[in-house]
Amino acid sequence: MTPKIELLAPGGDIDAIKAAIIAGADAVYCGLDTFNARNRAANISFDELVGVIRLAHHYDCKIFLTLNIVILEREFKPLVKLLSRLANTTLDGVIVQDLGLLYVLNEYFPSLDIHASTQLTTHNVGQIPFLKRFGVSRVNLSRELNLREITAMASAGREHDVLTEVFVHGSLCIAFSGLCYSTSASAGNSGNRGRCSQACREEYETTPSGNNFPLNIKDNSAFFDLPKLIDAGVHSFKVEGRIKGAGYVHTVIDSFRKQIDGFVATGELLEDGERLYKVFNRDFSNAFLRGDLNQSMFIENPRDNSKSYAIEQSNAISVVEIQEVEQTLGDEKEQINVDVSEKIKHLSIEKISLRIKFSGTVGRPLSITCVTQAYVPGSLSLEEKTVTLQSQGVLVAAKENCIDQSAIEKRFNSFNNASFDLIALESGGVEEGVSIPFKELSRLKRELHAVLTNNTPVYAEVTLPKLARHRKNEDVSAGSGASGSAANPAKLSILICDDTDLDLSHVTDADIYFKLPDAYKRGCTKYVDFFNENPNLIPWFPAVLIGKDFDVALNILEQVTPPLIVTNNTGIANRAFELGIKWIAGPFLNTTNSYSLLAMKEYFDCAGAFISNEISQQQMKSIARPENFKLFYSIYHPILLMTSRQCFFQQSVGCEKPRIDNGCMLSCDKSTSITNVKGASFAIDKQKAGYPSIYNSDQFLNMAIISELSDLFDGFMIDLTNIGSGGKEMPDKATLIKQFEHLLNEQGSSAAYETAQATINDMVIESTNTQYHKGL
């Protein structure tokens, strides 16, 4: 028997949501005008959300709300107010990226179902139990996974009672979601805050391979792969498109609905998918799903491909023929919009009208008659619904605290809210000079609320307890008279990735992190011996570890059992916790608030964390350190813009290989650069056993933080891996280390500090610390 398959639709505005519902979506995800990762979508208001939920539920369709951005410290107070309101709706789920928000939801809002956003870059089986500990009920898997990897993830989901979602249609990012910082570094327009400026769709100067849009890939579509995804155990088929209009949403969802239903009924795929080409598309590819990453994934046109497709299919050659095809397509698109508008015009999200009348005389109960509206079963028609309630006690004659219009309005005006339009509140039927205990009025109010909301529980507004702000290094002996920072200055740490840099340990007592590769030969054990032979090295695990690469990384962790690691991957963090290994959250976990720190410490015994380089000095100042928890910050590193499973060289300098294979990951170490038409250049770098990545032309260099926030941080790191250099000559590492040590020891208070600062500026010619000043 085929399991229930959920079709999950995008809803960027009210019409798109209505179109998705009427097209047969099982669920719709949408965002409010704040706290969501599609701020270019129209989005909706809270009152509209309540109406949307009511409409959707009438069609047995669920509504999920996107809260899928990283959260800043100052935002938790208004965010918790919003969550308190959401808890008192019948919302079906919230989609979340930020670990701090996951923690707050799990601890304080048990009635809200939690879904992990694609921004959490969930791609290995170890991440499923990590997210489950936060109360997550479903995860959206990384779009780069192939069917075999998806099958393993779905199996892990079933083991931990977590549902899995897969994107089956829509725009496809070339970068791993959640690990793209393409404009954050220069303008603060972070994809992690819903302000993606789509650098991957930009035009670039013609590359040696003859391309002007070298990062632009086709849209994703698994329209003909649905049976394989069903066999893989996927629960939800998710369509991208919250910036798209109602015509697009209806066409795509209706097509997928018919394809799914046809397959479930007959065991065959009955739809040909041609309608998908009638609306916006960049042509389609299922290469990630097939695990066949080749040059056919790219397309030179970042805009709508529907005209080109129609012309090609019609074999139109002459100007007249092409114009006729374009006119026909334009007419068809217009007709789609007209048809959808006609279908949704009767769908209403308006508030339900409500009239409340009070009546009663001395010696008789107080009576409330409520006249509202409800959907006729199986119909969109609304019919009047009358409910009458009575007090348990009787009205008594009184000169004070009488039941009059003022008293009634004070208690019952709150029914004029996001759900109901209170058009009348009438007390004329109540005899003058009568009273009833106010606890009776309160009981009647609760009973009326229960009737109107089908006994939905009422949750009190949540106020988060004030977080304790612990100083660093609180083991300073009492009465020493020295501040924590003076007695225990921040320590330098360095990141290396080549065993030729091991000699650097002779010139410094800094902690040395050794960055492990992203990819390995199956069964690789050389790093087990390497760390056992170099116990002073602290293993540094990368952000992306898929399939066999995660298995090898796990083996390294389990065989070496180091006393401390740094990990940018939550699957590794989860296993370290299970093994009792102390771990530090790396910078690519993008920690921006105190609740993320608290979550990792309380749930996973995390020892410390790197604070995100995306946030500013002012945004860092408000972060509260948990007790016995260390904070770190990277002050010198290449600025990663994006990392991809796809090859950046195919469309830039070209490659003789038609597709990526395992050998590419392990052996390729090319580097080049691309320049956009605005004149900005970016380094493309591929280390052996690393994913292709794009870096800013400037290095990140932030010396100001050493003196300005020295009390906050226990350690500052410099990245000496050469990754992201794009072939540029690197400064002498030993000299660079010594100069940074001078900075930390002097803390900006002497001529020696200024000399070290000047020397570093001379050594690192192209640098920026824009993020430190602009933030998010």
CSV table of all heavy atoms in Angstrom, one decimal, residues 502 512 528-539 560 562-564:
chain,number,residue,atom,x,y,z
A,502,LEU,N,52.9,21.6,10.5
A,502,LEU,CA,53.0,21.1,11.8
A,502,LEU,C,54.1,21.8,12.6
A,502,LEU,O,54.1,22.0,13.8
A,502,LEU,CB,53.2,19.6,11.9
A,502,LEU,CG,52.0,18.8,11.4
A,502,LEU,CD1,52.3,17.3,11.5
A,502,LEU,CD2,50.7,19.1,12.2
A,512,ILE,N,46.2,24.6,18.2
A,512,ILE,CA,46.2,24.3,16.7
A,512,ILE,C,45.1,23.4,16.3
A,512,ILE,O,45.0,22.3,16.8
A,512,ILE,CB,47.6,23.7,16.4
A,512,ILE,CG1,48.8,24.6,16.8
A,512,ILE,CG2,47.6,23.5,14.8
A,512,ILE,CD1,50.1,24.1,16.5
A,528,VAL,N,43.2,8.7,11.5
A,528,VAL,CA,43.2,8.1,12.8
A,528,VAL,C,44.7,8.1,13.3
A,528,VAL,O,45.0,8.5,14.4
A,528,VAL,CB,42.6,6.7,12.8
A,528,VAL,CG1,42.8,6.1,14.2
A,528,VAL,CG2,41.1,6.8,12.4
A,529,ASP,N,45.6,7.5,12.5
A,529,ASP,CA,47.0,7.5,12.8
A,529,ASP,C,47.6,8.9,13.0
A,529,ASP,O,48.4,9.1,13.9
A,529,ASP,CB,47.7,6.7,11.7
A,529,ASP,CG,47.3,5.3,11.6
A,529,ASP,OD1,46.8,4.7,12.6
A,529,ASP,OD2,47.4,4.7,10.5
A,530,PHE,N,47.2,9.8,12.1
A,530,PHE,CA,47.7,11.1,12.1
A,530,PHE,C,47.4,11.8,13.4
A,530,PHE,O,48.3,12.4,14.0
A,530,PHE,CB,47.1,11.9,10.9
A,530,PHE,CG,47.5,13.4,10.9
A,530,PHE,CD1,48.8,13.7,10.5
A,530,PHE,CD2,46.6,14.4,11.3
A,530,PHE,CE1,49.2,15.1,10.4
A,530,PHE,CE2,47.0,15.7,11.2
A,530,PHE,CZ,48.3,16.1,10.8
A,531,PHE,N,46.2,11.8,13.9
A,531,PHE,CA,45.9,12.4,15.2
A,531,PHE,C,46.5,11.7,16.4
A,531,PHE,O,46.8,12.4,17.4
A,531,PHE,CB,44.3,12.6,15.3
A,531,PHE,CG,43.8,13.7,14.5
A,531,PHE,CD1,42.9,13.4,13.4
A,531,PHE,CD2,44.1,15.0,14.8
A,531,PHE,CE1,42.4,14.5,12.7
A,531,PHE,CE2,43.5,16.1,14.0
A,531,PHE,CZ,42.7,15.8,13.0
A,532,ASN,N,46.6,10.4,16.3
A,532,ASN,CA,47.2,9.7,17.4
A,532,ASN,C,48.7,10.0,17.5
A,532,ASN,O,49.3,10.1,18.6
A,532,ASN,CB,47.0,8.2,17.2
A,532,ASN,CG,45.6,7.7,17.5
A,532,ASN,OD1,44.9,8.3,18.4
A,532,ASN,ND2,45.2,6.6,16.9
A,533,GLU,N,49.3,10.3,16.3
A,533,GLU,CA,50.7,10.7,16.3
A,533,GLU,C,50.9,12.2,16.7
A,533,GLU,O,52.0,12.6,17.0
A,533,GLU,CB,51.3,10.4,14.9
A,533,GLU,CG,51.4,8.9,14.6
A,533,GLU,CD,51.7,8.7,13.1
A,533,GLU,OE1,51.8,9.7,12.4
A,533,GLU,OE2,51.7,7.5,12.7
A,534,ASN,N,49.9,13.0,16.6
A,534,ASN,CA,50.0,14.4,16.9
A,534,ASN,C,48.9,14.8,17.9
A,534,ASN,O,47.9,15.5,17.5
A,534,ASN,CB,49.8,15.2,15.6
A,534,ASN,CG,50.9,14.9,14.6
A,534,ASN,OD1,52.0,15.5,14.7
A,534,ASN,ND2,50.7,14.1,13.6
A,535,PRO,N,49.0,14.3,19.1
A,535,PRO,CA,47.9,14.6,20.1
A,535,PRO,C,47.7,16.0,20.4
A,535,PRO,O,46.6,16.3,21.0
A,535,PRO,CB,48.3,13.7,21.3
A,535,PRO,CG,49.8,13.6,21.1
A,535,PRO,CD,50.1,13.6,19.7
A,536,ASN,N,48.6,16.9,20.1
A,536,ASN,CA,48.4,18.3,20.4
A,536,ASN,C,47.4,19.0,19.4
A,536,ASN,O,46.9,20.1,19.7
A,536,ASN,CB,49.8,19.0,20.3
A,536,ASN,CG,50.3,19.0,18.9
A,536,ASN,OD1,50.4,17.9,18.3
A,536,ASN,ND2,50.7,20.1,18.3
A,537,LEU,N,47.1,18.3,18.3
A,537,LEU,CA,46.2,18.9,17.3
A,537,LEU,C,44.7,18.7,17.7
A,537,LEU,O,44.4,17.6,18.2
A,537,LEU,CB,46.4,18.3,15.9
A,537,LEU,CG,47.8,18.5,15.3
A,537,LEU,CD1,47.8,17.8,13.9
A,537,LEU,CD2,48.2,19.9,15.2
A,538,ILE,N,43.9,19.7,17.5
A,538,ILE,CA,42.5,19.6,17.8
A,538,ILE,C,41.8,19.4,16.5
A,538,ILE,O,41.8,20.3,15.6
A,538,ILE,CB,42.0,20.9,18.5
A,538,ILE,CG1,42.8,21.1,19.8
A,538,ILE,CG2,40.5,20.9,18.7
A,538,ILE,CD1,42.5,22.5,20.5
A,539,PRO,N,41.1,18.3,16.3
A,539,PRO,CA,40.4,18.1,15.0
A,539,PRO,C,39.3,19.1,14.8
A,539,PRO,O,38.5,19.5,15.7
A,539,PRO,CB,39.8,16.7,15.2
A,539,PRO,CG,40.6,16.0,16.3
A,539,PRO,CD,41.0,17.1,17.2
A,560,VAL,N,39.8,8.0,17.5
A,560,VAL,CA,40.8,8.8,18.1
A,560,VAL,C,40.3,9.3,19.5
A,560,VAL,O,41.1,9.4,20.5
A,560,VAL,CB,41.1,10.1,17.3
A,560,VAL,CG1,42.0,11.1,18.0
A,560,VAL,CG2,41.6,9.7,15.9
A,562,PRO,N,39.4,12.2,20.7
A,562,PRO,CA,40.2,13.3,21.2
A,562,PRO,C,39.5,14.0,22.4
A,562,PRO,O,38.3,13.9,22.6
A,562,PRO,CB,40.3,14.3,20.0
A,562,PRO,CG,39.1,14.0,19.2
A,562,PRO,CD,38.8,12.5,19.4
A,563,PRO,N,40.3,14.7,23.3
A,563,PRO,CA,39.7,15.4,24.4
A,563,PRO,C,38.8,16.5,24.0
A,563,PRO,O,37.9,16.9,24.7
A,563,PRO,CB,40.9,15.8,25.2
A,563,PRO,CG,42.0,15.9,24.3
A,563,PRO,CD,41.8,14.8,23.3
A,564,LEU,N,39.1,17.1,22.8
A,564,LEU,CA,38.3,18.3,22.4
A,564,LEU,C,38.3,18.3,20.8
A,564,LEU,O,39.3,18.0,20.2
A,564,LEU,CB,39.0,19.6,22.9
A,564,LEU,CG,38.4,20.9,22.5
A,564,LEU,CD1,37.0,21.1,23.1
A,564,LEU,CD2,39.3,22.1,22.8
